[in-house]
């Protein structure tokens, strides 16, 4: 009898979520973000908790209580992937001088 199988079944590792590169805009340090905006940084999705500029999403790993970013949980990531992702950020408004 195999000693690894005696007594308890082996645990199956949880599947890793695949986050497509185009699921959300990549974080840029010079951009400003409003609360609720979602970005992709180093393969992880983050949501801005309030207005921020220059604060790396990585800060959510250091001190989540003071970071302007929060890491999306697996259910939120799955929902985003299934919905097709976040709409691209719109560019600055034009001066309207075309017509």
């Amino acid at each position: 009898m195999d000693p690894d199988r005696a007594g308890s079944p082996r645990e199956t590792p949880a599947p890793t979520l695949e986050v497509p590169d185009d699921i959300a805009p990549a974080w840029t340090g010079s951009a400003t973000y409003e609360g609720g905006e979602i970005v992709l940084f180093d393969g992880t999705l983050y949501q801005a908790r309030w207005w921020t500029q220059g604060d790396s999403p990585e800060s959510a790993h250091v001190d989540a209580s003071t970071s302007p970013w929060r890491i999306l949980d697996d259910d939120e990531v799955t929902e985003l992937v299934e919905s097709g992702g976040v709409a691209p950020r719109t560019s600055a408004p034009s001066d309207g001088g075309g017509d």
Side-chain angles (χ1 to χ4, degrees):
M1 179 180 216
D2 184 351
D4 288 326
R5 293 179 184 239
S8 64
R10 288 183 176 216
E11 289 188 30
T12 304
T16 302
L17 289 172
E18 291 289 327
V19 179
D21 289 339
D22 61 351
I23 194 74
W27 175 79
T28 304
S30 60
T32 59
Y33 298 95
E34 298 292 329
E37 287 191 74
I38 296 172
V39 297
L40 183 64
F41 180 76
D42 280 348
T44 300
L45 289 166
Y46 299 84
Q47 183 177 44
R49 295 170 57 201
W50 53 76
W51 183 96
T52 182
Q53 181 180 24
D55 297 301
S56 171
E58 212 166 28
S59 66
H61 296 278
V62 177
D63 187 354
S65 66
T66 62
S67 173
W69 297 100
R70 72 172 190 86
I71 302 166
L72 296 186
D73 65 33
D74 288 350
D75 290 338
E76 291 169 311
V77 172
T78 299
E79 186 177 319
L80 268 177
V81 169
E82 289 174 354
S83 72
V86 177
R89 296 189 82 186
T90 57
S91 57
S94 69
D95 63 2
D99 289 19

